[in-house]
Amino acid sequence: MHHPKVTVLGSANVDLVVRAEQMPSKGETLIGKTFDIFTGGKGFNQATAAARLGADVTLIGRIGDDPFADILRTAIDAENINSQFVRTDAESGTGVATIIVQPDGDNSIIVVPRANMRITPTDIQNAADSIAKADVLLLQLETPIDASQKAIEIAKANGTIVVLDPAPARQLPSSLLAQVNILKPNETEAAVLSGHTVLSSENAITAANALRAKIAPDGFSAVVITRGEHGVLLSTPEECTHIPAISVDVVDTTGAGDAFSGALATALAKGSELMDAVKYAAAAGAAATTVLGATPSMPTQKKIDAIQPKS
Ligand code: RIB
């Protein structure tokens, strides 16, 4: 039997999460409702989603030499994620995120990447075998671009599918985008990368088509724009399809995009058709919004089965 393999190059953070009635205004002090410390980081969240959904996962990253790193190492082991290439960096702290979650589940996040931004191309070279042997390489943008570039080069040379979740939003070198098979931005990221505002279905299609012209034309070639309550837009050379959102009781949207990307990578690694993989990922993203916290909300197969519409 084929064991789906996903290698994730990405961030691992500790999230300091406050639930509050509203965001404070400038100069205002508010009393919050709850405080929690969760594991997070887009890379670790996505790795966790992939591992919970049945992939053999290797995480490439850096954490500090501090108590937050201990929390992350315990969590990485608990999820059965291969941590051989998660390096301890004695000269930097572990990445942290401060997150405010409002009653409607919307969140505001400030990330301080710290050790995550010290991953080097040499770290990637050391993990070359795990990228070459993976079915899918999954990346985000909380780690250095030169490291991503190196990882993508290794993937392309070995037939590994490259999935990029371009979060948080930033401009990217065209040479990097040109090697990505599947680009999965949300509306903000799609606007930054394409130069087209994404506020309606029409301009989502315009942005998706513009982005598709920038990514790899070979093998899988797709732009998947996640639009929250407006669903998902899948753009391939053959089709442009709107997939409606699944309605759930939203608690916290933090990590929903990570659940989507981790599930998408896993489904592709298992050999699913692209459309099926995107529908599966949409169900994973919806499931993640029903649980507080980023890593804790990464769904299991059972959770996805409970909410995925039967086709
Ligand atoms: O996508 C959610 C994640 O973004 C959080 O876990 C936080 O750590 C930031 O990386």
Side-chain angles (χ1 to χ4, degrees):
M1 200 182 113
H2 172 69
H3 278 288
K5 288 189 184 53
V6 175
T7 292
V8 180
L9 163 57
S11 58
N13 296 333
V14 167
D15 293 351
L16 309 177
V17 181
V18 168
R19 280 169 60 239
E21 280 303 329
Q22 62 200 63
M23 291 292 292
S25 323
K26 188 174 173 186
E28 184 183 21
T29 300
L30 287 179
I31 304 290
K33 290 199 292 191
T34 60
F35 172 73
D36 289 284
I37 297 178
F38 294 122
T39 55
K42 296 183 195 305
F44 179 55
N45 294 337
Q46 295 182 18
T48 299
R52 288 185 186 175
L53 296 174
D56 284 349
V57 181
T58 297
L59 177 63
I60 307 171
R62 277 205 196 204
I63 52 181
D65 184 7
D66 54 22
F68 283 171
D70 298 339
I71 294 173
L72 279 163
R73 287 234 179 254
T74 302
I76 292 168
D77 290 349
E79 300 294 345
N80 288 318
I81 293 168
N82 177 6
S83 63
Q84 187 186 353
F85 304 109
V86 177
R87 212 174 131 177
T88 297
D89 187 330
E91 283 161 42
S92 184
T94 298
V96 287
T98 58
I99 302 180
I100 300 175
V101 181
Q102 296 179 72
D104 62 2
D106 276 349
N107 62 70
S108 304
I109 305 180
I110 296 181
V111 177
V112 188
R114 306 211 286 176
N116 294 301
M117 272 298 169
R118 289 164 55 87
I119 299 171
T120 64
T122 306
D123 293 342
I124 305 303
Q125 186 56 47
N126 292 339
D129 209 39
S130 83
I131 298 171
K133 288 190 176 142
D135 299 293
V136 175
L137 170 69
L138 178 57
L139 314 96
Q140 320 76 34
L141 299 179
E142 286 180 340
T143 49
I145 294 294
D146 59 352
S148 299
Q149 201 115 37
K150 178 79 185 166
I152 290 173
E153 271 165 29
I154 296 168
K156 292 308 274 186
N158 290 279
T160 301
I161 300 167
V162 176
V163 179
L164 173 64
D165 179 341
R170 57 166 290 176
Q171 298 290 345
L172 289 172
S174 50
S175 57
L176 185 149
L177 275 178
Q179 292 184 291
V180 169
N181 293 110
I182 300 191
L183 184 68
K184 191 243 93 178
N186 66 15
E187 292 174 318
T188 311
E189 294 142 10
V192 169
L193 288 172
S194 71
H196 297 277
T197 315
V198 181
L199 292 173
S200 66
S201 303
E202 288 70 35
N203 46 46
I205 292 170
T206 306
N209 289 340
L211 288 174
R212 220 169 24 71
K214 295 176 189 263
I215 64 171
D218 59 309
F220 277 113
S221 180
V223 173
V224 184
I225 302 183
T226 52
R227 305 191 57 222
E229 62 191 301
H230 301 299
V232 179
L233 181 75
L234 167 63
S235 168
T236 70
E238 292 81 35
E239 63 184 339
C240 199
T241 310
H242 171 253
I243 295 144
I246 299 169
S247 171
V248 289
D249 291 329
V250 176
V251 173
D252 175 12
T253 56
T254 315
D258 298 333
F260 187 106
S261 295
L264 180 65
T266 304
L268 293 173
K270 287 179 179 173
S272 294
E273 295 293 327
L274 187 55
M275 176 61 79
D276 293 337
V278 171
K279 287 182 178 167
Y280 182 71
T289 66
T290 64
V291 177
L292 180 68
T295 312
S297 73
M298 296 302 112
T300 57
Q301 184 61 49
K302 198 171 160 200
K303 190 102 196 234
I304 294 180
D305 288 343
I307 72 157
Q308 191 170 28
K310 305 284 168 276
S311 51

